[in-house]
Amino acid sequence: MMNNKDVSRRQLFRFRNARLAWVLLLVGLVVTAGLWHFTTRLVTDRTRASFETQSLQLKTAVEQRLLNYEQVLAGSAALFALAEYVSREDWRLYVGRVDIDRYYPGIQGIGYIPRVTAAGISAHVEKLRAEGLKDYLVSPLGERSEYFPVTFLEPATQRNQRAFGFDAFGDAVHRLAMERARDTGNPAMTGKVVLVQENVDDEQAGFLMYLPVYQGSQISGDLTERRNSLEGFVFSAFRMNNLVDGIVGLIAPFLDVRIYDGVEVERSGLMYGSNLGSLDDQYTFEMSQELQHGGRSWLLQTRSTPAFDYLASDSRPLIVMVAGLVVSFLLFAFALSLIRARLLAQASEGRYRAITEGASNLTLVLGRDGAPVYASPSSEPILGFSPDRLQELDLESMVHGDDWPQLQASFEQALESPGRRLPVIHARVRDLGGEWRDMEGSLAAMLDEPGVHGVVLSLRDLTELKAAQAQLHRLAFYDPLTGLANRQLFRDRLAHTVRRSRRTGEAAALMFLDLDGFKRINDTLGHDAGDTLLQHISRWLTGCVREEDSVARFGGDEFVVLLSSVAGPEAVAGVAETILRRLRHRIRLNEHDVGVTVSIGIAMVPTDSEDPGVLMKYADLAMYQAKERGRNNFQFFTPVMNIQAAKRLLQHEELAEAMEAGRFVLHYQPKFDIREDRVVGVEAFLRWQHPVKGLVPAQQFIALAEESGLIVGLGEMALRQACIQIQALERAGFEALRVAVNFSIRQLIDPLFLDMFRRVITETGVAPDRLEVEMPAALLSRDPQMLQEVLGALHDLGVWLVVDDFGSGACSMVALQQLPLDAVKIDHCFIRDIPYNSSATDVASAVIALAHKLHLTVIAEGVETTHQLNFLRAAGCSQFQGNLFSYPLDEDALIGFLVRQYERALIS
């Protein structure tokens, strides 16, 4: 006889049996699809209309704001045109009354540019310096027929003061706008520029609006007269992000907005981008509009974002689809149930016996007196007795005394209610080995059932299941090494604390802890010692908090502490100080006294956030701030940290993209031998070819590369380019020149550094003795054994080893004596003040003398004047480099410079 499952699989879904059910399902699905398509089209049309409305409003708002700023500029021009004399104080008061920070966001400053002839430029500079601008200087330098330097600029912030003296007429972009304004008498806007006031780390696109100021109150209709009567220009400098952010946030906060200088979409012309290109391929609607103002055309491009689509979404299509599917499948299921009822058959008399004999659970059949009359074969593996020895089974003696009354009562209830399965009961049953086993089951009276004629007791063994559940629970929620809560359990506790804080208003605190120096201990003493230290730290942390608080380990050397209720930040700071003091204790591991410190980041609940994930992020950011401030301290989260982290992430992405695109090049500064007056080598300087900022020097991005871990890849790229340059020098006939490459501490201590170095020189075929490795002086204070291995291997290859920035910081004298070094380079800070500062000359002389005692070649960098060169020659310095003889040169310029030096040497 087939069971229910056999019927369902083999017969129920056959088309000849279930034809009506399949037809009903197909009709329902077709109708559902049609209704869903219709409602989706309605929602899409409504969303498109909303997108276009916001885009048009955005264009109108930008045009209106530019018109308002043009009126401000017109008022400023009138002041200079009508007043006989405008003092710096008059200008400050006038701009202050305009209150640009409040009413005109985006204006970096409003200023005035006078027209100064070549004959009057000296008097102009003296006048401005007499007015209080002591460092005033017209830039860029050079002789011109007339100058237009920035003379007035308010507000006079530190950022704006950088623009004083800047002659914008010398720049093609500025000059085009200024000439258009001069000739038309109307305001004119520049193209995209980077304001001279910008910081390198906070740079954004900008533009300027110029309005001419003529002699007299009337503007001549003749072009020549207008040019001759030009007094100067009033101008406004704008920072694009500050100008547009407010408008976008008010009108279209969920649109991806971009503004391009010109009418074409070009990356170099991007003036403003609300999403920084992160949603290029994720938009539903797009619209482009042209804005014209001040003689310039801008392209305003708007795109929808997933957030916009989400807010504009409508649940009606989904409701229609779900409802249609539900109705279709309900009809299908109803039809199938009718078919199934027709196909099912009754089970045979032997079904019960087949089930009991094949089951893994224990089944007993009890007579009316409670004595066992049948036991399933599973009784032997579960309890240890054979079903053949059923007469020896005493059920009462096997069941725990506390559980027997419940089992007896359930048996009597089964006799009173035959055919009905009773509620589940739990009992402890002792096996033949004497161990108690946890079991659960139920009784059902089948006194009249053929082949049964008794009360069926079905029992399931829970012993191994409970043990496995307990072990799984521990593995799932607790750290196996320390016994602390793991990430999953801690997240549940944090969510519970946040909910309670939201309900009661009671404050709580989340601490993120990272051990300082743990990796060093783990690497030097071994992982077993590191595990022992982690166990001690877990006990120390648990002892620093209350029982109702939580301590968890997230893996590695990361711990978190949840203070479930606190009085305020002062109480949290007290706990943090207790942890800092406790973890300063040292313990003995492998016959070494070791200790660690900890950096702690703190986020407050609910002050900082009520979202557990955000709280974890904030505490992590605060912990990194504690590390940056010297470690072994604690820091509370501040909103500035989140902004800095987002900005840092964008900078990391930009740097990584530049590496993938190959936007880094090397420039080379020649090194001269003082006595022989000839070039003996060059030093390679890494430059970033930024699409907006131009050539960016290494000191502006090396720290970012160190932080992001990209420094190792940059080092390999610089070394490979330097080797290629060596080959170019050899082909040009300069076989004796060495090329110096700078490496940071992070690069030199990298375990794969030597392998990378050997691989590059092998692949490029460059002789190692043509290379110089320049290393920071601080490297000499690192592990002596590690330094001996790395520097010894480089020395054995024939590489020249140079200590950079010598004398500027702490440096191991023992390392200078023992390591295979070839030269030291005097830091430029000592060269800069020679010969005007006696301290600088004394220090430089001492450094040179010390290097000579150690038999090291002395190189001076940053030589700018002949006075410095004469002093270094007299003091015994061997080599020098600096702008006195050559700035850093690109590849082509370097070859030309070397050829000229060679020709000069032949002539002399």
Side-chain angles (χ1 to χ4, degrees):
M1 190 73 175
M2 294 182 294
N3 60 29
N4 295 349
K5 290 185 178 180
D6 292 332
V7 170
S8 298
R9 293 174 180 175
R10 298 178 183 178
Q11 298 181 9
L12 189 58
F13 290 101
R14 289 180 181 175
F15 185 75
R16 65 183 182 182
N17 294 329
R19 183 182 296 107
L20 176 62
W22 287 112
V23 171
L24 287 175
L25 178 61
L26 179 61
V27 172
L29 292 177
V30 171
V31 173
T32 299
L35 292 175
W36 175 81
H37 179 72
F38 176 75
T39 54
T40 300
R41 288 292 302 273
L42 291 178
V43 172
T44 301
D45 292 343
R46 187 188 65 181
T47 304
R48 183 189 302 276
S50 175
F51 167 78
E52 293 176 351
T53 299
Q54 291 187 21
S55 300
L56 293 172
Q57 290 175 345
L58 185 63
K59 176 189 176 185
T60 302
V62 173
E63 292 174 335
Q64 184 61 45
R65 178 162 288 187
L66 291 175
L67 184 61
N68 292 341
Y69 292 173
E70 180 181 311
Q71 294 172 354
V72 174
L73 206 59
S76 304
L79 175 65
F80 280 96
L82 299 177
E84 294 182 2
Y85 172 74
V86 178
S87 67
R88 198 166 298 280
E89 179 64 20
D90 294 336
W91 182 245
R92 185 184 66 79
L93 292 174
Y94 172 77
V95 176
R97 293 191 186 99
V98 174
D99 197 357
I100 59 177
D101 289 338
R102 181 176 182 182
Y103 297 107
Y104 302 96
I107 296 182
Q108 176 65 25
I110 305 176
Y112 174 68
I113 298 174
R115 180 183 185 183
V116 183
T117 62
I121 191 62
S122 297
H124 170 77
V125 173
E126 292 178 1
K127 176 185 175 184
L128 267 293
R129 290 181 177 177
E131 290 179 358
L133 300 178
K134 298 180 180 180
D135 297 328
Y136 180 80
L137 184 66
V138 176
S139 63
L141 300 176
E143 295 184 0
R144 297 182 285 278
S145 60
E146 56 183 5
Y147 300 81
F148 292 88
V150 176
T151 304
F152 288 81
L153 184 56
E154 291 291 338
T157 61
Q158 184 177 3
R159 182 193 294 266
N160 278 341
Q161 289 177 4
R162 302 175 191 165
F164 281 111
F166 175 65
D167 185 357
F169 201 74
D171 182 86
V173 178
H174 290 267
R175 183 169 60 253
L176 182 64
M178 295 167 75
E179 290 177 343
R180 185 167 62 249
R182 178 197 64 193
D183 295 344
T184 63
N186 297 320
M189 292 182 355
T190 70
K192 175 183 176 183
V193 297
V194 177
L195 303 180
V196 296
Q197 299 99 308
E198 289 290 352
N199 291 322
V200 173
D201 60 348
D202 189 24
E203 190 175 289
Q204 60 176 274
F207 68 96
L208 288 88
M209 185 183 294
Y210 290 96
L211 184 64
V213 177
Y214 302 103
Q215 296 175 359
S217 59
Q218 298 295 326
I219 301 177
S220 174
D222 183 70
L223 176 60
T224 303
E225 292 182 3
R226 282 200 301 272
R227 291 181 177 179
N228 293 335
S229 63
L230 179 68
E231 289 273 343
F233 298 90
V234 290
F235 70 92
S236 294
F238 299 90
R239 305 180 81 216
M240 200 65 184
N241 290 2
N242 297 349
L243 176 68
V244 182
D245 276 343
I247 301 176
V248 174
L250 181 64
I251 296 177
F254 299 106
L255 295 186
D256 181 7
V257 180
R258 305 180 190 188
I259 299 177
Y260 295 89
D261 184 24
V263 295
E264 298 294 335
V265 176
E266 295 180 355
R267 182 177 180 85
S268 60
L270 181 64
M271 297 279 286
Y272 173 81
S274 59
N275 283 317
L276 302 178
S278 60
L279 301 175
D280 277 343
D281 301 323
Q282 301 182 37
Y283 63 90
T284 306
F285 306 108
E286 180 181 23
M287 187 174 184
S288 296
Q289 305 175 79
E290 184 176 347
L291 288 79
Q292 294 185 346
H293 197 90
R296 297 293 301 178
S297 294
W298 286 353
L299 180 65
L300 172 62
Q301 185 185 71
T302 51
R303 291 175 176 175
S304 60
T305 64
F308 175 85
D309 295 338
Y310 174 77
L311 292 175
S313 62
D314 196 314
S315 60
R316 281 175 289 187
L318 179 62
I319 293 174
V320 169
M321 181 180 66
V322 172
L325 291 176
V326 169
V327 171
S328 300
F329 281 101
L330 283 177
L331 291 174
F332 182 68
F334 177 73
L336 287 179
S337 65
L338 296 178
I339 297 171
R340 179 174 177 272
R342 181 168 49 86
L343 297 176
L344 289 176
Q346 296 294 328
S348 65
E349 292 183 359
R351 176 186 300 169
Y352 173 76
R353 193 171 189 85
I355 292 175
T356 58
E357 292 185 356
S360 59
N361 295 338
L362 175 63
T363 301
L364 298 176
V365 178
L366 309 178
R368 290 181 179 272
D369 58 354
V373 297
Y374 170 80
S376 64
S378 58
S379 61
E380 186 166 7
I382 295 177
L383 295 180
F385 72 86
S386 172
D388 298 335
R389 304 175 60 184
L390 190 63
Q391 66 279 2
E392 300 177 6
L393 179 63
D394 183 6
L395 189 60
E396 183 176 359
S397 64
M398 297 178 62
V399 178
H400 195 281
D402 295 338
D403 301 329
W404 175 253
Q406 179 188 9
L407 182 62
Q408 185 66 25
S410 183
F411 175 76
E412 294 174 356
Q413 187 178 1
L415 291 177
E416 295 173 359
S417 305
R420 184 166 66 90
R421 184 172 293 275
L422 300 180
V424 174
I425 59 173
H426 295 269
R428 285 160 289 180
V429 180
R430 183 164 51 198
D431 59 21
L432 290 185
E435 295 183 1
W436 293 102
R437 307 183 73 87
D438 291 320
M439 309 190 80
E440 69 173 10
S442 61
L443 293 98
M446 299 183 179
L447 302 174
D448 298 327
E449 184 74 21
V452 180
H453 302 295
V455 178
V456 178
L457 172 60
S458 298
L459 295 173
R460 184 161 69 105
D461 189 4
L462 303 178
T463 305
E464 294 182 359
L465 176 62
K466 287 188 175 182
Q469 288 175 340
Q471 181 64 16
L472 287 174
H473 181 271
R474 186 158 194 84
L475 293 174
F477 295 105
Y478 291 91
D479 176 49
L481 176 64
T482 62
L484 298 176
N486 65 7
R487 187 186 299 267
Q488 179 62 39
L489 179 57
F490 186 82
R491 287 186 181 276
D492 293 342
R493 291 177 178 177
L494 177 58
H496 173 74
T497 300
V498 169
R499 289 194 298 269
R500 187 183 66 185
S501 176
R502 185 185 301 119
R503 185 177 63 255
T504 64
E506 189 176 22
L510 174 65
M511 294 181 173
F512 203 105
L513 295 80
D514 189 84
L515 303 182
D516 306 324
F518 175 75
K519 186 177 185 302
R520 173 177 51 82
I521 296 173
N522 211 29
D523 292 342
T524 55
L525 300 184
H527 292 285
D528 291 340
D531 291 346
T532 303
L533 179 59
L534 290 175
Q535 291 170 343
H536 279 281
I537 290 173
S538 66
R539 289 193 293 270
W540 292 343
L541 289 176
T542 305
C544 292
V545 299
R546 304 162 299 187
E547 290 186 2
E548 60 267 28
D549 299 328
S550 298
V551 180
R553 177 180 176 228
F554 272 19
D557 57 352
E558 293 181 346
F559 293 85
V560 286
V561 175
L562 176 62
L563 304 180
S564 58
S565 62
V566 294
E570 295 81 4
V572 180
V575 176
E577 290 172 352
T578 300
I579 293 174
L580 291 175
R581 286 195 305 270
R582 186 68 183 89
L583 264 65
R584 291 194 190 105
H585 292 182
R586 304 180 68 84
I587 64 172
R588 191 158 186 84
L589 295 174
N590 295 347
E591 299 182 355
H592 293 274
D593 287 329
V594 299
V596 294
T597 58
V598 65
S599 299
I600 305 175
I602 304 172
M604 297 297 297
V605 183
T607 307
D608 293 329
S609 176
E610 293 184 354
D611 184 284
V614 174
L615 285 169
M616 292 295 297
K617 171 188 172 184
Y618 286 172
D620 191 31
L621 289 175
M623 182 273 293
Y624 278 105
Q625 184 71 13
K627 283 188 175 292
E628 291 179 0
R629 296 194 175 184
R631 305 174 185 267
N632 193 27
N633 69 94
F634 63 90
Q635 295 291 325
F636 284 88
F637 169 78
T638 62
V640 175
M641 297 179 186
N642 201 24
I643 297 174
Q644 291 174 341
K647 179 179 177 182
R648 211 65 175 169
L649 179 60
L650 290 175
Q651 292 174 337
H652 288 174
E653 293 174 352
E654 186 179 26
L655 188 63
E657 181 184 354
M659 281 196 63
E660 292 180 2
R663 296 184 183 140
F664 291 91
V665 297
L666 292 181
H667 282 196
Y668 305 88
Q669 187 173 45
K671 291 196 297 187
F672 288 81
D673 185 281
I674 291 181
R675 295 181 179 84
E676 299 180 7
D677 191 23
R678 66 181 181 88
V679 179
V680 294
V682 295
E683 180 179 357
F685 292 100
L686 192 62
R687 297 288 187 265
W688 178 1
Q689 288 182 320
H690 197 280
V692 177
K693 303 174 186 176
L695 279 179
V696 180
Q699 57 267 28
Q700 295 185 17
F701 61 84
I702 284 298
L704 183 65
E706 290 271 4
E707 179 183 312
S708 61
L710 297 174
I711 189 67
V712 175
L714 280 175
E716 179 175 353
M717 182 191 64
L719 178 61
R720 190 175 297 276
Q721 289 190 19
C723 290
I724 295 173
Q725 183 61 28
I726 290 174
Q727 294 174 327
L729 290 173
E730 290 177 348
R731 289 192 297 270
F734 301 102
E735 298 88 355
L737 298 183
R738 286 195 298 264
V739 176
V741 182
N742 288 277
F743 291 97
S744 68
I745 295 177
R746 171 83 177 273
Q747 293 168 307
L748 290 167
I749 65 175
D750 186 278
L752 301 178
F753 174 78
L754 286 177
D755 293 337
M756 180 274 293
F757 195 96
R758 295 188 182 101
R759 184 180 68 255
V760 170
I761 61 176
T762 300
E763 292 173 355
T764 57
V766 169
D769 60 357
R770 298 292 308 282
L771 283 167
E772 295 182 12
V773 169
E774 291 197 8
M775 66 200 76
L779 176 70
L780 303 186
S781 300
R782 292 299 183 109
D783 179 21
Q785 182 178 355
M786 179 273 296
L787 289 176
Q788 188 64 50
E789 293 177 358
V790 175
L791 300 185
L794 293 175
H795 181 266
D796 293 341
L797 289 173
V799 179
W800 231 54
L801 302 178
V802 182
V803 177
D804 198 6
D805 302 330
F806 186 67
S808 61
C811 180
S812 171
M813 293 295 105
V814 175
L816 283 174
Q817 291 178 312
Q818 296 179 349
L819 293 175
L821 303 174
D822 297 294
V824 294
K825 180 176 285 188
I826 305 176
D827 189 73
H828 66 87
C829 65
F830 299 121
I831 307 300
R832 183 178 53 215
D833 296 330
I834 295 173
Y836 308 107
N837 187 321
S838 59
S839 297
T841 57
D842 292 340
V843 172
S845 299
V847 170
I848 293 172
L850 175 61
H852 286 164
K853 288 290 185 182
L854 297 173
H855 306 291
L856 299 173
T857 301
V858 182
I859 307 170
E861 64 178 344
V863 179
E864 305 283 349
T865 67
T866 55
H867 295 292
Q868 296 169 351
L869 178 61
N870 293 334
F871 169 82
L872 294 170
R873 181 182 286 112
C877 183
S878 302
Q879 300 176 12
F880 74 97
Q881 65 183 88
N883 296 340
L884 176 62
F885 284 89
S886 175
Y887 289 88
L889 307 169
D890 61 22
E891 299 176 1
D892 296 334
L894 174 64
I895 297 295
F897 176 86
L898 294 175
V899 170
R900 289 192 296 274
Q901 289 294 314
Y902 177 77
E903 292 173 350
R904 183 175 65 85
L906 290 178
I907 294 174
S908 60

